[in-house]
Amino acid sequence: MHSRLSAYVSDTTPGRGALRTARSWLHSDAPSRSLNGLWCFRLSPTAQVAEDFADERFDDSDWDSIPVPSHWVLQGDGAYGRPIYTNVQFPFPIDPPHVPDENPSGDYRRHFDMPADWSAAERVVLRFDGVESLFRLWVNGDEIGSASGSRLAHEFDVTSSVHPGDNVVAVRVHQWSAASYVEDQDQWWLPGIFRDVTVIARPGGGIEDVWLRTGFENGHGRVETEVTADAAAFPVTLRLPELGIEQVWATPADVAPFDVDRVEPWSAEQPRLYDVTVSTATERITMRAGFRTVEIRGDQFLVNGRRVVFHGMNRHEAHPERGRVFDEKHAREDLARMKRFNVNAIRTSHYPPHPRLLDLADELGLWVILECDLETHGFDKLDWVGNPSDDPAWREAYLDRIHRTVERDKNHPSIVIWSLGNEAGTGSNLAAMSAWVHARDAGRPVHYEGDHAGEYTDIYSRMYASVLETEQIGTDGSRSTLLNCTPAQGARQRTKPFLLCEYAHAMGNGPGALDQYEALVHEHPRLHGGFVWEWRDHGILATAPDGTPYYAYGGDFGEVVHDGNFVMDGMLLSNDVPTPSLHEYKAVVQPVRFTFDGDGVAITNLRHSADTSDLRFRWRVEHDGTPLDSGDMEVPVLAAGDSARVPLPRITVSQVSETWLTIDAVLAAGTAWASDGHVIATAQLDRSARRPAPGVRPRTSWRQSDGTLKLGIAEFIDGSLVRLAGRAVAGPGLELFRAPTDNDEGASEAVEESDASVAGVSHAELWRRDGLDRLTSRRMSVKRTAEALQTIDKVSAANSALSVTVESVWSLEGDGLELRVEIEPSSGWPTVWPRIGIRFDLPDGAAPVDGAEWFGLGPLESYPDSLRAARTGRFSSTVRDLSVDYARPQETGHRSQLRQLALTSAGTELLRIVTLPDSYGRRPGFTLSRHTPQQIAQAGHSFELPDSTTSHLIIDAAQHGLGSRACGPDVWPEFSLRPEARTIRLRIAAG
Ligand code: GAL
């Protein structure tokens, strides 16, 4: 038995027994019963367990029960093992196609009642929509068959084993199998029956499958129907009531294409769907057809004759409690949220989602790249030796996978591209998949990023190409070589449309440079945008030892091999909260462009095909962030691609405060994904009168001092500030450190654009090496005048000769207190700096600082290469909400270009700070947090942060950019912070 069983789990063929061929996931009126619900369950540590449980008389009364669909590792509170997270690594020895004897195997049993009238059915079919990774099926003790392909549908003919009344289904699921080698996606390994199980009565004379291939050209629709049914099932009738269409086909030979007039096309922007029924005497299929034609013309990817720009997200199925188990409400909200953030496309990375998701994409309007369930990334470690993609033993499995993918989902208008899989190297099995798709569906191109040289796919696709490289790809006739391509292959790739199937790695705080990528799309028509990696964090809800709930990542379940928090790289946190990067994304890709000139603004509609009749334009004027005036703006309806110049409203310019005009394009009426008034695009214009900043008063009467004195609200002892407005304060001290972001910790080689980066070494490592997180200081002098105090400190780290000289001058200017800090680096600092700031520590005292109100950029955090979502205005926040709860604590909360800041306690102002521009006109930013950068850098999860009795205010003259180096390019040079001299000037007053 032992050897037979191990042979079975290491079988590369995709399935056996009464497994049926793939077909569409259809909405039919044929009788069916869901077998979702509680099943009896037993978990064994190996696959070598007796099969007696399959017998219908087997006594399972002492088994547990488990819900189907679910993953067993997310059930039973650890009783059934724990999830494992790996990116590329295999969590078992690389010994293909074998897997270890330690192979958790779940046995499932349940009864179901088959209605008596089902005996009239021609066939009874059992469908499994998703089982990870290999399973065997028995019905009433008969072995029916087996299947692998975790995120694919498998149907079995069980007609000869079922009978009216009580039936017993038994399923054995193995966590590991040969299939695990081709399902090495970057995600949690989550075994179990995790999608629906259905028993279906197939009527005689029914419709096995139907495919409506719809097209749209010059205002006309076209329908080519493929009906799979016995000749005896005819006549088949297709009805499209809204257009008054009824086609009756008497025999299979009569099925013919037909044209429809007056049809509206389907697009992601206007997802027009038409109800269709296809029926025989015994079965009726209900469908929703969308008319669109996908085509590649030269190097352009077109839908309905117009170029598509993908503003896409890579979407995994991930939920903190359910894992990959589908929840329609949650999924619908997810897609609606995408629409609200100007996302127009998804790549179903890296496998077909629950089939219902595609109904939602059709309905809400998203372009979809539908990807097959295939990845063999772990073979990279072996230089791809033994990669299944090029091994004939796997050909059948590869073809079975693409076959099941395309057949299941072929009816969806939202799917415009098929993708063969992800990171599976290259080889003849992939070429065979592509050939099969080309033969089966000439109406959609084939994508696969790993086909670097363009040997068998239709689109040139890359992941994480830098801005420079992307520009080179977009540039005509460039002789620059492309990655992994000979010059001739590169030339071939340049004849194709290009997309970034992954870019902008959204891990932790970041990415930066979204706007630079977007700008390229508008300059180079060959570039068709891309798909951010990725939509959401995959954290799993867990409980810390102290009872605090948190979102677990790799390593939190004691995995032997894991990839830490690399699974937390989404634009949404695990609890669905959009990160600032999603707001940035929304602003960068907004479909309306505003270009101010003089007294007018040119407004351009950047959409694919929709005009602007669904939008209203609102304007408002603010003085120092306080609203003064507002109104609606008359903008003519603009067709896609058109623009119009409209005059600006009359603006009252203040002489004493900043004057800003803001224009919002908002939805005029509610849609399926947003309510009316929802903002889709924003622009701001600075109309402020020029006001020179007060100069620095020269002082000559400095004399040595013990530094113990009062200046207005400030009290000093030994030259150090100890109290402001009666509150204890420590600092300000120089702060050059930020808790490294995941991008700061990234050590990719992709640094060719930044002279301050070291290939293969992270910035964070260099910062720690240079001691930026452990600066010490030595006071060099303390001097005063009657109304000013000057200190000079030399700041440096242990075992380093590099230093920064910090001159601080506190002075009374009129009634107010001013602080001017000059920060002067010694020569020779080799790296970029994370920040140039000064830190005030404010112990809680009677009234702890718990909030901030400010005028500057907001409302969310911003960094030099991620500033597009930030607008100039007046904002307020609790201290807690100033920080983003990234899965791994890191730098967060920086608000740029601060003008005024009030620190508050229970709504009462404690201190007011006004910033003065430096001689270049630059203003500092701020962060306000309960923890220091050093404390944050120590914590792996937020529950590890120590209890705090202090608030920390950092005023930053500058911050380093974010970049995308956790997986991709480093910070663009322009946004890299090289050590430099900086001035910070603040006016500080009591609240
Ligand atoms: C890509 C891969 C994704 C993900 C990403 C990094 O190489 O296709 O699945 O691993 O890198 O998060």
Side-chain angles (χ1 to χ4, degrees):
M1 185 175 75
H2 187 278
S3 62
R4 191 172 78 80
L5 279 173
S6 31
Y8 151 76
V9 292
S10 52
D11 186 353
T12 61
T13 54
R16 298 194 179 276
L19 189 61
R20 285 156 48 94
T21 182
R23 61 187 185 116
S24 308
W25 192 75
L26 295 169
H27 301 274
S28 155
D29 65 354
S32 68
R33 291 209 154 177
S34 167
L35 298 190
N36 292 355
L38 286 183
W39 290 52
C40 292
F41 181 71
R42 163 184 82 179
L43 185 70
S44 308
T46 71
Q48 282 85 16
V49 191
E51 290 161 25
D52 53 351
F53 83 106
D55 191 288
E56 48 191 320
R57 286 159 312 226
F58 180 85
D59 179 8
D60 58 20
S61 54
D62 61 344
W63 283 23
D64 299 346
S65 64
I66 199 168
V68 166
S70 75
H71 303 281
W72 68 65
V73 290
L74 297 181
Q75 299 292 322
D77 220 5
Y80 310 129
R82 294 288 195 183
I84 299 171
Y85 165 60
T86 60
N87 169 16
V88 178
Q89 311 184 74
F90 287 114
F92 45 78
I94 313 179
D95 178 23
H98 307 290
V99 293
D101 293 342
E102 291 154 26
N103 185 0
S105 296
D107 290 333
Y108 293 75
R109 279 174 59 90
R110 73 161 279 166
H111 292 251
F112 74 90
D113 200 48
M114 188 175 104
D117 58 356
W118 278 30
S119 34
E122 192 177 76
R123 273 189 305 280
V124 178
V125 166
L126 250 181
R127 184 175 69 220
F128 292 81
D129 283 307
V131 181
E132 181 169 327
S133 79
L134 164 70
F135 69 105
R136 287 166 80 189
L137 170 67
W138 293 261
V139 173
N140 296 326
D142 295 346
E143 178 152 11
I144 306 295
S146 65
S148 61
S150 300
R151 275 68 65 165
L152 302 168
H154 305 279
E155 287 186 331
F156 296 88
D157 190 335
V158 296
T159 317
S160 56
S161 300
V162 290
H163 43 68
D166 185 48
N167 293 270
V168 181
V169 194
V171 183
R172 171 165 287 178
V173 181
H174 304 287
Q175 173 156 21
W176 310 121
S177 68
S180 307
Y181 286 98
V182 295
E183 294 179 1
D184 186 27
Q185 292 96 343
D186 175 6
Q187 59 178 350
W188 295 98
W189 298 88
L190 297 175
I193 305 177
F194 73 97
R195 283 189 190 151
D196 312 295
V197 183
T198 317
V199 54
I200 304 163
R202 297 291 314 132
I207 298 168
E208 248 329 84
D209 199 0
V210 55
W211 183 6
L212 298 185
R213 303 180 194 221
T214 50
F216 181 84
E217 224 163 325
N218 304 325
H220 297 285
R222 187 170 174 78
V223 183
E224 284 177 40
T225 313
E226 182 188 282
V227 180
T228 309
D230 291 343
F234 281 73
V236 169
T237 308
L238 181 149
R239 290 197 184 83
L240 202 165
E242 206 182 327
L243 298 175
I245 286 166
E246 179 173 300
Q247 299 273 327
V248 183
W249 297 305
T251 71
D254 297 332
V255 179
F258 59 94
D259 290 334
V260 280
D261 292 333
R262 302 180 326 275
V263 74
E264 293 169 37
W266 186 97
S267 71
E269 291 160 356
Q270 290 167 311
R272 182 69 162 93
L273 293 170
Y274 292 88
D275 290 334
V276 175
T277 60
V278 181
S279 40
T280 64
T282 59
E283 184 172 21
R284 200 168 97 118
I285 309 285
T286 321
M287 311 177 77
R288 304 187 84 187
F291 292 87
R292 95 275 174 282
T293 293
V294 177
E295 126 198 58
I296 290 181
R297 220 184 283 158
D299 61 3
Q300 308 265 308
F301 175 85
L302 311 175
V303 174
N304 299 334
R306 299 184 65 92
R307 170 175 170 254
V308 172
V309 173
F310 295 106
H311 292 138
M313 293 286 154
N314 277 284
R315 181 186 181 278
H316 261 287
E317 302 222 276
H319 184 278
E321 287 161 280
R322 291 188 291 272
R324 284 187 282 279
V325 175
F326 185 72
D327 178 285
E328 181 164 337
K329 195 162 161 272
H330 188 248
R332 178 183 284 276
E333 179 47 27
D334 233 18
L335 300 200
R337 188 182 292 112
M338 288 186 188
K339 298 280 291 185
R340 291 197 291 275
F341 280 89
N342 291 334
V343 172
N344 72 4
I346 51 183
R347 169 175 178 236
T348 68
S349 52
H350 298 301
Y351 43 81
H354 189 281
R356 183 75 185 125
L357 186 92
L358 299 160
D359 288 343
L360 302 180
D362 289 347
E363 183 187 318
L364 292 168
L366 289 156
W367 311 114
V368 175
I369 298 188
L370 197 284
E371 191 151 277
C372 183
D373 188 0
L374 178 73
E375 174 158 342
T376 65
H377 205 172
F379 286 88
D380 193 4
K381 190 183 165 86
L382 313 179
D383 286 334
W384 298 101
V385 172
N387 181 21
S389 301
D390 213 18
D391 177 348
W394 287 91
R395 183 180 159 96
E396 188 191 339
Y398 274 53
L399 285 170
D400 182 72
R401 279 171 187 263
I402 193 67
H403 189 137
R404 290 185 185 281
T405 299
V406 170
E407 294 297 347
R408 194 195 74 171
D409 296 333
K410 56 188 177 287
N411 280 299
H412 292 282
S414 55
I415 300 175
V416 291
I417 296 173
W418 298 113
S419 177
L420 303 178
N422 185 60
E423 298 189 312
T426 191
S428 57
N429 295 336
L430 288 155
M433 291 167 93
S434 182
W436 183 85
V437 181
H438 283 131
R440 181 72 180 123
D441 183 8
R444 294 170 175 117
V446 175
H447 164 275
Y448 172 61
E449 183 270 345
D451 181 22
H452 295 293
E455 286 164 353
Y456 47 87
T457 51
D458 308 315
I459 291 169
Y460 182 31
S461 172
R462 286 283 306 280
M463 47 174 78
Y464 309 108
S466 67
V467 170
L468 254 188
E469 222 185 334
T470 307
E471 184 173 26
Q472 282 172 357
I473 293 166
T475 307
D476 238 333
S478 165
R479 293 172 60 88
S480 59
T481 48
L482 303 180
L483 182 83
N484 297 331
C485 284
T486 65
Q489 289 165 337
R492 174 168 63 200
Q493 291 293 54
R494 278 203 176 79
T495 64
K496 300 177 184 175
F498 176 79
L499 61 81
L500 285 160
C501 69
E502 295 177 26
Y503 79 115
H505 195 253
M507 185 177 183
N509 189 347
L514 285 167
D515 50 354
Q516 289 176 281
Y517 284 99
E518 183 63 12
L520 293 177
V521 161
H522 298 288
E523 281 165 36
H524 306 287
R526 177 183 304 150
L527 307 181
H528 289 75
F531 295 77
V532 166
W533 189 267
E534 64 177 308
W535 172 242
R536 56 164 61 249
D537 282 1
H538 300 209
I540 289 183
L541 189 60
T543 311
D546 69 354
T548 315
Y550 76 104
Y551 291 101
Y553 51 73
D556 288 336
F557 296 113
E559 301 104 296
V560 181
V561 165
H562 66 83
D563 286 296
N565 66 325
F566 208 61
V567 76
M568 311 296 250
D569 50 7
M571 291 215 148
L572 287 191
L573 300 177
S574 301
N575 59 358
D576 295 350
V577 172
T579 64
S581 66
L582 186 56
H583 292 268
E584 176 75 3
Y585 183 82
K586 176 186 176 188
V588 164
V589 305
Q590 61 185 28
V592 177
R593 180 194 289 150
F594 302 87
T595 315
F596 292 101
D597 81 89
D599 291 332
V601 55
I603 300 182
T604 309
N605 176 4
L606 300 174
R607 290 167 163 180
H608 169 261
S609 44
D611 66 25
T612 55
S613 54
D614 59 330
L615 302 181
R616 254 180 338 115
F617 293 80
R618 294 189 314 217
W619 62 268
R620 64 178 186 279
V621 170
E622 290 161 343
H623 284 171
D624 272 2
T626 304
L628 181 80
D629 214 353
S630 63
D632 278 349
M633 206 156 157
E634 280 306 312
V635 178
V637 171
L638 300 170
D642 279 4
S643 79
R645 186 176 184 280
V646 295
L648 294 180
R650 281 180 61 87
I651 299 170
T652 312
V653 174
S654 163
Q655 295 309 313
V656 292
S657 52
E658 292 184 32
T659 303
W660 285 82
L661 168 72
T662 305
I663 303 178
D664 289 330
V666 306
L667 289 179
T671 64
W673 43 271
S675 43
D676 66 339
H678 167 77
V679 176
I680 71 153
T682 297
Q684 282 196 310
L685 175 67
D686 184 0
R687 272 303 177 92
S688 308
R690 283 176 63 88
R691 286 176 300 143
V696 173
R697 190 142 49 103
R699 285 193 175 80
T700 49
S701 50
W702 293 115
R703 56 190 155 79
Q704 298 290 341
S705 160
D706 68 355
T708 299
L709 71 159
K710 272 192 183 179
L711 286 175
I713 61 165
E715 291 172 48
F716 303 87
I717 296 178
D718 294 339
S720 297
L721 178 71
V722 291
R723 244 178 300 282
L724 270 175
R727 281 189 69 90
V729 177
L734 180 70
E735 187 60 85
L736 297 180
F737 188 62
R738 71 183 184 191
T741 64
D742 292 311
N743 292 311
D744 294 336
E745 294 282 6
S748 72
E749 306 282 324
V751 296
E752 76 271 28
E753 285 127 18
S754 186
D755 58 342
S757 318
V758 181
V761 183
S762 73
H763 288 301
E765 194 178 329
L766 299 174
W767 298 338
R768 288 185 288 254
R769 183 197 67 190
D770 288 345
L772 297 189
D773 55 340
R774 48 181 169 81
L775 297 176
T776 58
S777 80
R778 178 169 67 80
R779 179 137 299 160
M780 302 204 296
S781 84
V782 182
K783 291 181 183 165
R784 63 169 295 181
T785 68
E787 52 190 24
L789 170 74
Q790 181 210 54
T791 57
I792 299 183
D793 298 287
K794 184 170 172 180
V795 179
S796 48
N799 199 33
S800 171
L802 303 166
S803 66
V804 182
T805 302
V806 179
E807 176 193 354
S808 307
V809 177
W810 292 90
S811 60
L812 290 176
E813 307 291 339
D815 295 342
L817 178 70
E818 181 173 322
L819 167 65
R820 179 169 60 86
V821 182
E822 300 291 352
I823 298 163
E824 297 147 358
S826 69
S827 67
W829 283 91
T831 67
V832 297
W833 277 350
R835 66 166 11 122
I836 304 177
I838 53 171
R839 191 179 97 203
F840 296 86
D841 300 327
L842 302 142
D844 277 353
V849 175
D850 60 12
E853 289 172 18
W854 75 98
F855 173 50
L857 289 192
L860 302 176
E861 67 189 19
S862 56
Y863 292 83
D865 54 356
S866 178
L867 279 171
R868 296 280 290 270
R871 55 173 210 276
T872 303
R874 193 165 281 281
F875 308 98
S876 65
S877 169
T878 62
V879 173
R880 174 75 206 75
D881 289 345
L882 284 170
S883 297
V884 177
D885 200 6
Y886 292 115
R888 184 186 68 80
Q890 54 195 278
E891 162 66 25
T892 174
H894 179 256
R895 293 339 190 246
S896 312
Q897 296 173 33
L898 177 68
R899 280 74 149 191
Q900 301 159 19
L901 170 68
L903 302 184
T904 61
S905 182
T908 305
E909 278 189 16
L910 301 175
L911 285 174
R912 259 182 295 128
I913 298 175
V914 173
T915 69
L916 300 178
D918 71 5
S919 56
Y920 297 88
R922 299 175 297 200
R923 307 254 191 180
F926 79 98
T927 60
L928 179 63
S929 157
R930 297 293 287 173
H931 295 97
T932 65
Q934 290 76 3
Q935 287 172 323
I936 296 170
Q938 291 304 314
H941 303 85
S942 31
F943 68 79
E944 295 166 32
L945 287 166
D947 287 341
S948 159
T949 54
T950 309
S951 297
H952 307 278
L953 171 67
I954 305 180
I955 303 286
D956 284 319
Q959 272 256 0
H960 181 53
L962 297 173
S964 197
R965 201 178 173 197
C967 181
D970 201 356
V971 178
W972 188 254
E974 196 179 329
F975 307 113
S976 272
L977 181 58
R978 297 308 305 258
E980 63 183 15
R982 284 291 194 144
T983 304
I984 294 174
R985 278 179 81 189
L986 310 173
R987 294 268 165 100
I988 305 176

